[in-house]
Amino acid sequence: MTGTFITEWEAGSAVCKKLLASEETVALAVRQLVCIANHHGFEGWLINIENEVPIEKIPLMLKFVEDLTKAMRKRETDKETENAGEDKVKEDNDNCHRVIWYDSVTENGELKWQNALNSQNYAFFDACDGIFLNYTWTEDHLDHSRKAAGGRHRDVFVGLDIFGRNFYAGGKYDTWKALEVVRKHDLSAAIFAPGWTHETQPDFMEAERRLWGSLAPFLTHRGIQDLPFTTSFCQGSGEYFFCKGKMEREGPWHNLSLQHLQPLWSQVSRHT
């Protein structure tokens, strides 16, 4: 789970002005974000700057992104070292953190979505662990991004808008068509607004099965790595509340913090 650091419009410009006032304010922001990540258990940050940045402040913005990336890596190394040998730390550390830059502001400080990795946003990509591309891409954008990323092509996360707003193949239950194209170019994906099933569909559970069942062939599934393993398969909601097989109260309830691990979508038949 990653946190999101987002600034937008006039209010966002004011935040960026304070953030980029000096190297000291950048360092303070980095320290605070690492503290927040430690407190909430975030495994990284998405940096989403959706307001213009004065061009003379771009070097400080790049420093912010680069220093946060380094600080998150050091934080994970320090944490892992407490519990494992150095060899395991080196092997696993790259998967423990991730700072991603959203495709919004260019190297000139303009708020201008590129829908691709290119010369306008490459410096930010180079300063962190990856880039989250805007959603109105074409196959040409993906082809260009693949070439621009070189050996880091898996660090390009192509935005998929489930709502289908000006998006390839219209999203919704056809989102898999866009994901298929992303995989064809051997890029990663960032699936945005999967809450579409809850917000717009009459039968949430059936909509979830249909949506994720269609995406499953193009996703990487990670199962349990260690034993023993225990789960009640609780989905964090229900019509009755049970504890150790005994009903404690009757009536609908909802608490996602009580959700347990679920079966993998790849193990569920498309016909169920």
Side-chain angles (χ1 to χ4, degrees):
M1 180 177 66
T2 60
T4 299
F5 180 85
I6 182 171
T7 65
E8 297 178 292
W9 316 124
E10 291 184 8
S13 294
V15 171
C16 285
K17 184 177 181 180
K18 293 180 180 179
L19 166 66
L20 304 175
S22 66
E23 291 190 2
E24 288 73 21
T25 56
V26 167
L28 175 60
V30 167
R31 288 197 299 271
Q32 293 290 57
L33 289 175
V34 171
C35 286
I36 292 170
N38 287 337
H39 179 77
H40 291 286
F42 294 164
E43 296 167 311
W45 287 96
L46 170 66
I47 307 300
N48 185 0
I49 308 298
E50 297 209 58
N51 49 261
E52 291 191 352
V53 176
I55 191 169
E56 66 272 15
K57 294 295 184 180
I58 289 297
L60 279 175
M61 180 62 79
L62 285 166
K63 179 175 177 57
F64 168 62
V65 176
E66 184 175 4
D67 287 358
L68 178 60
T69 303
K70 290 178 179 178
M72 289 297 293
R73 289 174 181 170
K74 182 178 185 303
R75 164 248 190 182
E76 290 298 338
T77 299
D78 292 345
K79 185 169 64 175
E80 291 289 336
T81 302
E82 295 176 3
N83 302 306
E86 287 189 12
D87 290 341
K88 182 171 175 56
V89 171
K90 292 177 181 178
E91 178 183 343
D92 292 348
N93 189 48
D94 286 344
N95 296 320
C96 295
H97 74 276
R98 186 161 279 163
V99 175
I100 305 294
W101 175 262
Y102 181 62
D103 162 33
S104 51
V105 172
T106 68
E107 295 179 21
N108 294 322
E110 295 180 282
L111 180 60
K112 191 173 182 181
W113 298 269
Q114 300 297 299
N115 302 297
L117 175 64
N118 59 28
S119 61
Q120 296 297 306
N121 53 30
Y122 190 89
F124 295 106
F125 173 72
D126 195 41
C128 63
D129 297 303
I131 189 169
F132 180 154
L133 299 186
N134 189 48
Y135 311 99
T136 54
W137 47 265
T138 65
E139 283 205 58
D140 285 342
H141 285 122
L142 299 191
D143 183 59
H144 186 93
S145 298
R146 175 69 172 82
K147 293 174 181 176
R152 291 187 60 197
H153 54 94
R154 296 287 178 84
D155 295 334
V156 177
F157 295 83
V158 182
L160 307 181
D161 183 7
I162 303 294
F163 276 80
R165 291 159 288 202
N166 193 25
F167 174 62
Y168 187 96
K172 303 179 175 62
Y173 291 123
D174 284 330
T175 302
W176 68 268
K177 297 178 181 178
L179 185 52
E180 182 179 40
V181 171
V182 171
R183 294 305 191 214
K184 184 178 75 173
H185 290 272
D186 203 16
L187 302 172
S188 297
I191 301 174
F192 178 72
W196 172 81
T197 55
H198 174 70
E199 296 179 41
T200 67
Q201 301 302 290
D203 186 335
F204 170 66
M205 296 304 296
E206 174 57 31
E208 282 281 279
R209 280 191 287 267
R210 182 178 173 186
L211 174 66
W212 292 103
S214 68
L215 297 175
F218 309 102
L219 299 177
T220 299
H221 303 280
R222 294 181 175 87
I224 301 302
Q225 301 297 313
D226 300 305
L227 296 175
F229 163 65
T230 303
T231 182
S232 68
F233 300 109
C234 174
Q235 295 182 338
S237 63
E239 298 297 324
Y240 305 91
F241 190 88
F242 288 83
C243 184
K244 296 181 179 179
K246 181 180 178 181
M247 187 175 71
E248 293 197 345
R249 64 176 183 268
E250 186 175 351
W253 65 276
H254 180 270
N255 185 346
L256 283 182
S257 68
L258 297 179
Q259 186 181 63
H260 283 201
L261 288 170
Q262 304 294 304
L264 293 176
W265 284 106
S266 59
Q267 297 172 334
V268 178
S269 169
R270 294 186 181 185
H271 303 292
T272 60

Coordinates of all heavy atoms in Angstrom, one line a residue, residues 161-163 165 172-173 192-205 207-208 211:
D161 N -8.2 3.7 -16.6 CA -9.4 4.3 -15.9 C -10.6 3.4 -16.1 O -11.2 3.3 -17.2 CB -9.7 5.7 -16.5 CG -10.8 6.4 -15.8 OD1 -11.3 5.8 -14.8 OD2 -11.2 7.5 -16.3
I162 N -11.0 2.7 -15.0 CA -12.1 1.8 -15.1 C -13.4 2.5 -15.5 O -14.2 1.9 -16.2 CB -12.4 1.1 -13.7 CG1 -11.1 0.4 -13.2 CG2 -13.6 0.2 -13.8 CD1 -10.8 -0.8 -14.1
F163 N -13.6 3.8 -15.2 CA -14.7 4.6 -15.6 C -14.7 4.8 -17.1 O -15.8 5.2 -17.7 CB -14.8 5.9 -14.8 CG -15.5 5.8 -13.5 CD1 -14.8 5.3 -12.4 CD2 -16.8 6.1 -13.3 CE1 -15.4 5.2 -11.2 CE2 -17.4 6.0 -12.1 CZ -16.7 5.6 -11.0
R165 N -13.2 7.2 -19.0 CA -13.3 8.6 -19.4 C -12.2 8.9 -20.5 O -11.0 9.0 -20.1 CB -13.2 9.5 -18.2 CG -14.4 9.4 -17.3 CD -14.1 9.9 -15.9 NE -13.3 9.0 -15.1 CZ -13.2 8.9 -13.8 NH1 -14.0 9.7 -13.1 NH2 -12.4 8.1 -13.2
K172 N -14.6 0.3 -18.1 CA -15.7 -0.6 -17.6 C -15.4 -2.1 -17.7 O -14.2 -2.5 -17.4 CB -17.0 -0.2 -18.2 CG -17.4 1.3 -18.0 CD -18.7 1.7 -18.7 CE -19.1 3.1 -18.4 NZ -18.1 4.1 -19.0
Y173 N -16.3 -2.9 -18.2 CA -16.0 -4.3 -18.3 C -15.1 -4.6 -19.5 O -14.7 -5.8 -19.7 CB -17.3 -5.1 -18.5 CG -18.1 -5.1 -17.2 CD1 -19.5 -4.6 -17.2 CD2 -17.6 -5.6 -16.0 CE1 -20.2 -4.6 -16.1 CE2 -18.4 -5.6 -14.9 CZ -19.7 -5.1 -14.9 OH -20.4 -5.1 -13.7
F192 N -6.9 2.4 -12.1 CA -7.5 3.5 -11.4 C -9.0 3.4 -11.3 O -9.7 3.0 -12.2 CB -7.1 4.8 -12.1 CG -7.7 6.1 -11.5 CD1 -7.2 6.6 -10.3 CD2 -8.8 6.7 -12.1 CE1 -7.8 7.7 -9.8 CE2 -9.3 7.9 -11.6 CZ -8.8 8.4 -10.4
A193 N -9.5 3.8 -10.1 CA -10.9 3.9 -9.8 C -11.7 2.5 -10.0 O -12.8 2.5 -10.6 CB -11.6 5.0 -10.7
P194 N -11.2 1.4 -9.4 CA -12.0 0.2 -9.5 C -13.2 0.3 -8.7 O -14.1 -0.6 -8.7 CB -11.0 -0.8 -8.9 CG -10.1 -0.1 -8.0 CD -9.9 1.3 -8.7
G195 N -13.4 1.4 -7.9 CA -14.7 1.6 -7.2 C -15.9 1.8 -8.1 O -17.0 1.9 -7.6
W196 N -15.6 1.8 -9.4 CA -16.7 1.9 -10.4 C -17.7 0.8 -10.2 O -18.9 1.0 -10.3 CB -16.1 1.7 -11.8 CG -17.1 1.6 -12.9 CD1 -17.8 2.6 -13.5 CD2 -17.6 0.4 -13.5 NE1 -18.6 2.1 -14.5 CE2 -18.5 0.7 -14.5 CE3 -17.2 -0.9 -13.3 CZ2 -19.2 -0.2 -15.3 CZ3 -17.9 -1.9 -14.1 CH2 -18.8 -1.5 -15.1
T197 N -17.3 -0.4 -9.8 CA -18.2 -1.5 -9.5 C -19.2 -1.2 -8.4 O -20.4 -1.5 -8.5 CB -17.5 -2.8 -9.2 OG1 -16.6 -2.6 -8.1 CG2 -16.7 -3.3 -10.4
H198 N -18.7 -0.5 -7.4 CA -19.5 -0.2 -6.2 C -20.4 1.0 -6.5 O -21.6 1.1 -6.1 CB -18.7 0.1 -5.0 CG -19.4 0.6 -3.8 ND1 -20.3 -0.2 -3.1 CD2 -19.5 1.8 -3.3 CE1 -20.8 0.5 -2.1 NE2 -20.3 1.8 -2.2
E199 N -19.8 2.0 -7.2 CA -20.5 3.3 -7.4 C -21.6 3.2 -8.5 O -22.5 4.1 -8.5 CB -19.5 4.4 -7.8 CG -18.5 4.7 -6.7 CD -17.5 5.7 -7.1 OE1 -17.9 6.7 -7.7 OE2 -16.3 5.5 -6.8
T200 N -21.5 2.3 -9.4 CA -22.4 2.3 -10.6 C -23.2 1.0 -10.9 O -24.2 1.1 -11.6 CB -21.6 2.7 -11.9 OG1 -20.8 1.6 -12.2 CG2 -20.8 3.9 -11.7
Q201 N -22.8 -0.1 -10.3 CA -23.4 -1.4 -10.6 C -24.4 -1.8 -9.6 O -24.1 -1.7 -8.4 CB -22.3 -2.4 -10.9 CG -21.3 -2.1 -12.0 CD -22.0 -1.8 -13.3 OE1 -22.6 -2.7 -14.0 NE2 -22.1 -0.5 -13.8
P202 N -25.5 -2.4 -9.9 CA -26.5 -2.8 -9.0 C -26.1 -4.0 -8.1 O -26.5 -4.0 -6.9 CB -27.7 -3.2 -9.8 CG -27.1 -3.5 -11.2 CD -26.0 -2.6 -11.3
D203 N -25.3 -4.9 -8.6 CA -24.9 -6.1 -7.8 C -23.4 -6.0 -7.7 O -22.7 -6.4 -8.6 CB -25.4 -7.4 -8.5 CG -25.1 -8.6 -7.7 OD1 -24.2 -8.6 -6.9 OD2 -25.8 -9.7 -7.9
F204 N -22.9 -5.5 -6.6 CA -21.5 -5.3 -6.4 C -20.7 -6.5 -6.5 O -19.7 -6.6 -7.2 CB -21.3 -4.6 -5.0 CG -19.8 -4.5 -4.6 CD1 -18.9 -3.7 -5.3 CD2 -19.3 -5.2 -3.5 CE1 -17.6 -3.6 -5.0 CE2 -18.0 -5.2 -3.2 CZ -17.1 -4.4 -3.9
M205 N -21.1 -7.6 -5.8 CA -20.3 -8.8 -5.8 C -20.2 -9.4 -7.2 O -19.1 -9.9 -7.6 CB -20.9 -9.8 -4.8 CG -20.8 -9.3 -3.4 SD -19.1 -8.9 -2.8 CE -18.3 -10.5 -3.0
A207 N -20.5 -7.8 -10.0 CA -19.7 -6.8 -10.8 C -18.2 -7.0 -10.5 O -17.4 -7.0 -11.4 CB -20.1 -5.4 -10.5
E208 N -17.9 -7.2 -9.2 CA -16.5 -7.5 -8.9 C -16.0 -8.8 -9.5 O -14.9 -8.8 -10.1 CB -16.3 -7.6 -7.3 CG -16.4 -6.3 -6.6 CD -15.0 -5.6 -6.7 OE1 -14.1 -5.9 -5.9 OE2 -14.9 -4.7 -7.5
L211 N -15.6 -8.1 -13.4 CA -14.5 -7.2 -13.7 C -13.1 -7.8 -13.5 O -12.3 -7.9 -14.4 CB -14.5 -5.9 -12.9 CG -13.4 -4.9 -13.0 CD1 -13.3 -4.4 -14.5 CD2 -13.4 -3.8 -12.0

